[in-house]
Amino acid sequence: MAFFNLLNKVEYACVCGLLNPLTKLYFCRHCMKLRCGFCVCHEVDSHFCSNCLENIPSSEAKIRRNRCNTCFNCPSCQHTLSVRASTATVPLTGGGEGKESPSPAAEESGNNKGATKAEPASESATPSNTPSGKQVTKKMYYLACLTCRWNSRDVGIPDQGVATGQWPEPEYPNATRFALLLEHYQSIVLHDKQERQELWRRKTPRQSKFPSLTDRTGLTVSMIRRQLGWSDVKVQLKTTPTPIKESVASDEVEELPAELFSTTVNLKTVTTLQQRLAQPAKQSTSVNQLYPQHKLLSIKRSLRCRQCDHNVIKSEYNPASIKYRIALFAAYHVPDVRLVRCDPLRVGGPEAALLLRITNPTINEMTITIMDLPTEEEEKLILEELKASIESATASVSSMTLSVPGLGKQGSLLEEPRMIERSVNGILKLPDSSFTVNQRDDSIEFDEVVQVHQDEPKFIVWRKANHVAIQLGVQPKSNVPTGEDIVVGFSLQYTYVNTVGDKSVSASKEQKRQALTTRIYLNLGKLLPSGTD
């Protein structure tokens, strides 16, 4: 885990031109390219409560305003509130005078063993006869925070007779105004949606009344109209936006109370900024007016490649599960290059030794070639090819959408490729030949088989399992000032076995093997003056 907390000494170049460490990149097996957080589309799969782990549909979460109905947050410290139990004497309802009331100890042990102890004897007294009738001891529930000891009784919220009861909601002064604004903007959204549908109807060519000769009941036409987003009713009334009264600033402002200047301020009774922002509807200034808030829902999201529209990351639907159904992290498919050691770089000094470790994370053997970075002209040609491929893919998707609106999915926004904004001020002595890295084998650590010695190139320092350490020479350029970071880069070409393909075609592993290239930049530290340690 220490590697994730280090500085970004080694960075990989995404297709869009942004630099990121390997742990923040994804690999699309269909496009065969690296994807950063801007090159993937984020989609919400499910909503759930992180406390009770209840899975809530998206439509219901929208109605609940993305909050859980049963779980609450402490208004003082923002931790989750717990339901605690206590006993209280209440008058006996009609029709139950002939029954004997159960004792507090029997009810406490029978209903909830994990509840808190009973309140003082004044609250949980034994049933006594009053002029109005008998009184019985009943278990009541209240909300309490186990962190800051806040409870619902501090703000006057009455106890509930059921642990999962509906706690009373506070009234906000601007609730009516917010409801009117919400209705106004919902009507605007509906009006815009109807205008877009009307535009689609005009662009779509007219079809015959019965597209299928076997459609005698009209069900096929109804299904097609629903897929296109049209209504089954021929005449559809257009909605108009609901009028709303505009808010006008008033010149008259209420004067501050005189007690505000004379009364001593007790900071323990004044709410903090965090407590006020947690309750945006009221933002009370007094601690006695803080009410528990419903807990916000958490989401599980999936990441989709913006170019080929395939899933890159997709988690399990169960909220309690932390596994992934699809996990195409770049660290599982791309060689991991780590900076092991670099000799101090001095002005006018000799060539420094750079030690890199390359790890093969796949189950197939890799052939790695380290090459120079492309020149500016070559990089411009690469960008033009990428833009041409993206435009062709976008044109095909848009043509499909216009021909059959509603059936085809609209193309998402793609990150435009750009030049890599990282200048290289060091000269790297690259190896003169390619080398292989063994596949990942988890059982090789427990094998006692001695590996046969094989002739290795001179730049390979050591080899173990799927790890290879290579030594390269590096020297700063002559015009680099003292104290500036030395950055070197190279193009890493590696072989990748594509496991995604047509299952009907029995292709061999050699036919699926492809050579992929990625650019890597290393920060070797600051340039030291000559003659220093």
Side-chain angles (χ1 to χ4, degrees), residues 74 262 420:
C74 175
S262 58
I420 297 177

Side-chain angles (χ1 to χ4, degrees), residues 70-295:
T70 58
C71 302
F72 294 86
N73 282 339
C74 175
S76 179
C77 64
Q78 309 305 320
H79 282 77
T80 305
L81 295 176
S82 302
V83 179
R84 314 303 291 174
S86 64
T87 55
T89 55
V90 295
L92 185 66
T93 57
E97 296 183 357
K99 299 180 182 179
E100 295 183 359
S101 60
S103 62
E107 188 177 355
E108 179 73 21
S109 60
N111 291 343
N112 190 3
K113 296 182 180 179
T116 55
K117 294 182 179 180
E119 296 296 317
S122 60
E123 240 181 65
S124 58
T126 54
S128 59
N129 295 330
T130 59
S132 59
K134 292 184 178 180
Q135 291 186 350
V136 295
T137 303
K138 186 179 180 181
K139 181 177 289 188
M140 305 297 289
Y141 299 91
Y142 64 97
L143 297 174
C145 179
L146 303 181
T147 304
C148 64
R149 300 300 178 184
W150 181 93
N151 59 72
S152 58
R153 296 174 177 174
D154 295 343
V155 293
I157 298 178
D159 297 351
Q160 301 294 321
V162 186
T164 58
Q166 295 293 333
W167 301 93
E169 296 287 343
E171 296 181 359
Y172 301 111
N174 299 322
T176 306
R177 177 64 177 176
F178 285 138
L180 293 176
L181 289 174
L182 181 61
E183 183 181 357
H184 172 67
Y185 287 112
Q186 284 180 348
S187 62
I188 292 177
V189 171
L190 183 60
H191 180 71
D192 294 343
K193 183 179 179 181
Q194 289 183 351
E195 286 185 350
R196 288 196 301 268
Q197 290 180 354
E198 184 67 23
L199 182 62
W200 279 356
R201 291 193 191 97
R202 294 175 182 176
K203 289 185 177 181
T204 306
R206 294 185 178 180
Q207 299 178 358
S208 60
K209 187 176 181 181
F210 298 101
S212 178
L213 297 177
T214 59
D215 184 21
R216 299 181 179 179
T217 59
L219 294 178
T220 305
V221 177
S222 177
M223 292 173 60
I224 291 177
R225 293 183 67 89
R226 290 181 181 179
Q227 290 176 350
L228 296 177
W230 297 356
S231 176
D232 292 338
V233 184
K234 293 184 179 180
V235 180
Q236 186 177 4
L237 299 177
K238 290 186 178 181
T239 59
T240 56
T242 306
I244 188 69
K245 184 179 180 181
E246 297 182 358
S247 299
V248 181
S250 176
D251 296 334
E252 300 178 359
V253 181
E254 297 181 0
E255 296 182 358
L256 296 176
E259 296 82 4
L260 185 64
F261 303 97
S262 58
T263 308
T264 304
V265 178
N266 186 8
L267 296 180
K268 293 183 179 180
T269 60
V270 180
T271 57
T272 61
L273 183 61
Q274 183 181 5
Q275 293 172 352
R276 296 184 188 183
L277 295 179
Q279 300 185 357
K282 191 172 184 180
Q283 295 188 2
S284 58
T285 58
S286 177
V287 177
N288 297 330
Q289 298 178 357
L290 291 177
Y291 292 92
Q293 298 289 318
H294 288 276
K295 194 174 185 63

Side-chain angles (χ1 to χ4, degrees), residues 296-502:
L296 286 172
L297 297 179
S298 302
I299 63 170
K300 279 197 171 186
R301 61 177 181 174
S302 62
L303 305 181
R304 190 183 297 272
C305 178
R306 290 184 182 271
Q307 186 171 353
C308 66
D309 209 23
H310 286 87
N311 276 325
V312 177
I313 299 295
K314 192 172 184 63
S315 58
E316 292 285 349
Y317 186 73
N318 186 12
S321 176
I322 59 174
K323 297 181 179 179
Y324 289 95
R325 296 173 59 185
I326 301 175
L328 297 181
F329 295 101
Y332 297 161
H333 302 274
V334 182
D336 184 9
V337 179
R338 296 193 185 183
L339 177 60
V340 180
R341 184 181 66 254
C342 182
D343 294 343
L345 298 169
R346 296 184 177 88
V347 177
E351 186 180 82
L354 173 64
L355 189 63
L356 299 178
R357 190 185 74 175
I358 301 177
T359 304
N360 180 10
T362 63
I363 59 175
N364 301 295
E365 188 179 85
M366 276 187 179
T367 302
I368 293 179
T369 306
I370 298 179
M371 305 177 297
D372 289 326
L373 290 174
T375 60
E376 186 175 355
E377 291 75 12
E378 293 175 353
E379 190 171 358
K380 289 181 179 179
L381 292 176
I382 295 173
L383 290 179
E384 291 178 359
E385 293 178 359
L386 286 174
K387 291 180 180 179
S389 62
I390 292 174
E391 288 177 358
S392 62
T394 307
S396 61
V397 173
S398 61
S399 62
M400 183 186 302
T401 307
L402 290 176
S403 61
V404 188
L407 296 177
K409 186 178 180 180
Q410 294 185 1
S412 57
L413 297 176
L414 299 176
E415 188 71 16
E416 185 177 357
R418 61 177 70 86
M419 300 283 289
I420 297 177
E421 298 179 356
R422 181 61 58 89
S423 59
V424 177
N425 53 9
I427 302 173
L428 191 64
K429 185 179 179 181
L430 303 179
D432 52 358
S433 62
S434 304
F435 59 96
T436 60
V437 183
N438 297 330
Q439 68 273 15
R440 177 180 60 85
D441 190 1
D442 297 334
S443 63
I444 200 170
E445 298 180 0
F446 307 99
D447 293 341
E448 298 181 357
V449 180
V450 180
Q451 296 183 358
V452 181
H453 176 73
Q454 54 183 355
D455 295 334
E456 298 286 0
K458 295 181 180 180
F459 56 86
I460 293 183
V461 179
W462 54 264
R463 178 190 294 269
K464 181 179 180 182
N466 61 331
H467 308 285
V468 172
I470 61 175
Q471 183 174 350
L472 306 177
V474 61
Q475 192 172 8
K477 294 182 179 180
S478 58
N479 57 351
V480 180
T482 305
E484 187 175 348
D485 291 337
I486 301 299
V487 179
V488 296
F490 57 88
S491 295
L492 182 70
Q493 185 180 15
Y494 60 96
T495 55
Y496 176 75
V497 178
N498 186 14
T499 57
V500 179
D502 192 1

